[in-house]
């Protein structure tokens, strides 16, 4: 039963991603060509509210429903892994028109060929795990 | 009212809903980061026996896999009950730019030139989808997050690494859009 809430949140996420059309290859192309505000509006609104909410959580030391403090862990300091990893991610995002969440939402939506994209994303993650030690971080 | 649901949801409502999902996940003691699932799936498949990166307590991440299953169901619900089937209303400029690449104006949410079964069964089409997925999977783990983990969760916490990652997302996206896509299509 403890997983039901995550299932419901996932369903809401899937519906919002599909209905905002953030799962569309066309919308991602429109974004990278700077030809509409739509995607920037979605991400910008989420981040603006996110910044405000996270600041409030920290200021008022808000706890989660278990009663534990909600804590944020600073990511390790580096430039190269974020810049290189991010660039590789961006190349794939603009090519397939989907980041990991939208991939699976597309599958539910009926674009079944996205299953191949998702399978290869898993393989990509596996490849990273294999050669991780050899990469600059 | 019905039309409000079946047409494109506004950016402000969609953005607010995404922030809401992030806060609910925080309230439930977790965090919003979708690409972690890819690593969890590798671990659940037993790859941790050979590769240290996948040797972790993946069962603690089952909640995120459940979220993933929900996302698939959400996509299904959106299509079956909340969609008019109208083509995605992108900008005219994008339509004419894509026409130059040989990609027709939208008739649904996705271009047939990439996502139809015919496209998948062509060599070029298969390479596009598989390499696209491969780079997303590799890059998200190398950068330690994807759009949800870095662009939404990380930026909300004002983390510099996330800002660098998002800059990387755009460097890669712009190179693909303006330099590589014209070579492929």
């Amino acid at each position: 039963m403890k997983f039901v809430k995550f299932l419901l949140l996932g369903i809401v996420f899937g519906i919002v991603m599909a209905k905002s059309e953030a799962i569309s290859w066309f919308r991602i192309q429109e974004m990278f060509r700077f030809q509409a505000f739509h995607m920037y509006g979605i991400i910008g609104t989420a981040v603006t509210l996110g910044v405000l909410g996270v600041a409030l959580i920290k200021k008022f030391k808000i706890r989660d429903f278990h009663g534990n403090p909600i804590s944020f862990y600073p990511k390790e300091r580096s430039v190269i892994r974020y810049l290189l990893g991010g660039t590789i991610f961006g190349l794939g995002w603009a090519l397939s028109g989907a980041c990991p969440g939208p991939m699976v939402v597309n599958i539910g939506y009926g674009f079944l060929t996205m299953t191949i994209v998702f399978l290869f994303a898993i393989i990509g993650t596996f490849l990273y795990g294999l050669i991780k030690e050899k990469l600059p971080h | 009212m019905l039309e409000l649901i079946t047409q494109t949801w506004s950016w402000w409502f969609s953005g607010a809903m995404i922030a809401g999902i992030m806060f609910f996940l925080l309230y439930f003691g977790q965090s919003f980061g979708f690409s972690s699932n890819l690593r969890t799936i590798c671990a659940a498949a037993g790859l941790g026996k050979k590769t240290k990166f996948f040797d972790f307590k993946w069962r603690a991440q089952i909640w995120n896999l459940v979220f993933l299953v929900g996302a698939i169901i959400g996509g299904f619900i959106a299509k079956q009950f909340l969609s008019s089937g109208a083509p995605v209303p992108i900008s005219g400029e994008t339509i004419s730019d894509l026409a130059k690449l040989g990609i027709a104006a939208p008739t649904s949410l996705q271009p047939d030139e990439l996502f139809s079964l015919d496209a998948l069964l062509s060599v070029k089409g298969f390479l596009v989808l598989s390499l696209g997925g491969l780079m997303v999977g590799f890059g998200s783990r190398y950068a330690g997050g994807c759009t949800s983990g870095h662009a939404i969760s990380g930026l909300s916490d004002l983390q510099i690494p996330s800002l660098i990652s998002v800059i990387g997302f755009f460097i890669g996206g712009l190179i693909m859009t303006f330099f590589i896509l014209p070579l492929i299509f």
Side-chain angles (χ1 to χ4, degrees):
Chain A
M1 278 309 283
K2 64 175 179 174
F3 289 126
V4 173
K5 52 186 180 291
F6 296 113
L7 187 72
L8 291 176
L9 280 175
I11 291 174
V12 174
F13 172 73
I15 292 174
V16 170
M17 294 311 276
K19 288 310 302 171
S20 65
E21 295 160 354
I23 66 166
S24 166
W25 186 91
F26 288 114
R27 284 290 186 196
I28 304 304
Q29 275 298 303
E30 188 187 51
M31 172 182 81
F32 281 128
R33 291 168 190 276
F34 304 102
Q35 287 165 335
F37 178 70
H38 187 72
M39 290 299 302
Y40 295 100
I42 295 172
I43 300 171
T45 304
V47 172
T48 305
L49 294 174
V51 168
L52 289 172
V54 170
L56 288 173
I57 289 172
K58 287 180 174 174
K59 183 166 168 58
F60 294 103
K61 298 188 171 60
I62 295 172
R63 289 169 180 272
D64 68 18
F65 83 129
H66 294 296
N68 301 319
I70 297 178
S71 35
F72 299 89
Y73 304 97
K75 298 181 196 297
E76 57 174 293
R77 291 265 160 181
S78 164
V79 173
I80 191 75
R81 71 170 294 188
Y82 300 114
L83 206 54
L84 268 181
T87 301
I88 296 169
F89 176 90
L91 287 166
W93 190 14
L95 184 58
S96 66
C99 38
M103 283 177 196
V104 307
V105 180
N106 265 291
I107 296 169
Y109 201 91
F111 292 105
L112 298 181
T113 50
M114 200 60 97
T115 312
I116 300 296
V117 184
F118 186 64
L119 282 176
F120 273 88
I122 296 171
I123 296 171
T125 296
F126 175 60
L127 283 178
Y128 169 75
L130 273 185
I131 62 168
K132 181 174 183 284
E133 306 304 327
K134 299 189 178 75
L135 296 169
H137 282 77
Chain B
M1 181 65 200
L2 192 67
E3 203 173 82
L4 209 61
I5 291 171
T6 59
Q7 69 193 13
T8 312
W9 286 10
S10 69
W11 53 266
W12 58 267
F13 179 75
S14 306
M17 290 294 284
I18 292 167
I21 289 164
M22 178 181 76
F23 287 124
F24 268 107
L25 287 175
L26 288 173
Y27 180 68
F28 292 139
Q30 306 296 352
S31 64
F32 185 37
F34 199 93
S35 63
S36 305
N37 280 316
L38 300 169
R39 184 184 178 203
T40 305
I41 290 168
C42 287
L47 297 172
K49 287 188 196 107
K50 286 191 173 144
T51 312
K52 217 180 89 198
F53 185 63
F54 302 111
D55 184 16
F56 65 100
K57 292 190 178 110
W58 63 270
R59 281 172 206 278
Q61 298 297 315
I62 289 177
W63 69 269
N64 211 349
L65 293 176
V66 174
F67 184 86
L68 182 154
V69 172
I72 299 175
I73 298 171
F76 179 80
I77 292 173
K79 168 68 180 168
Q80 299 299 319
F81 307 111
L82 309 171
S83 166
S84 64
V88 47
I90 53 167
S91 131
E93 286 174 89
T94 312
I95 291 177
S96 64
D97 280 1
L98 293 176
K100 288 176 200 144
L101 297 180
I103 291 171
T107 54
S108 69
L109 213 50
Q110 299 288 22
D112 281 343
E113 289 86 344
L114 276 99
F115 297 101
S116 65
L117 192 59
D118 281 349
L120 176 67
L121 296 177
S122 70
V123 174
K124 187 174 87 175
F126 180 78
L127 285 176
V128 164
L129 295 187
S130 55
L131 289 178
L134 204 68
M135 289 191 285
V136 168
F138 187 94
S140 61
R141 215 62 274 129
Y142 193 1
C146 58
T147 325
S148 50
H150 275 314
I152 310 288
S153 295
L155 289 186
S156 292
D157 190 29
L158 304 176
Q159 297 229 9
I160 300 295
S162 293
L163 182 63
I164 302 171
S165 300
V166 174
I167 291 170
F169 296 171
F170 270 82
I171 294 173
L174 295 176
I175 292 173
M176 179 55 69
T177 299
F178 292 102
F179 298 108
I180 305 181
L181 282 185
L183 299 176
I184 302 177
F185 291 101

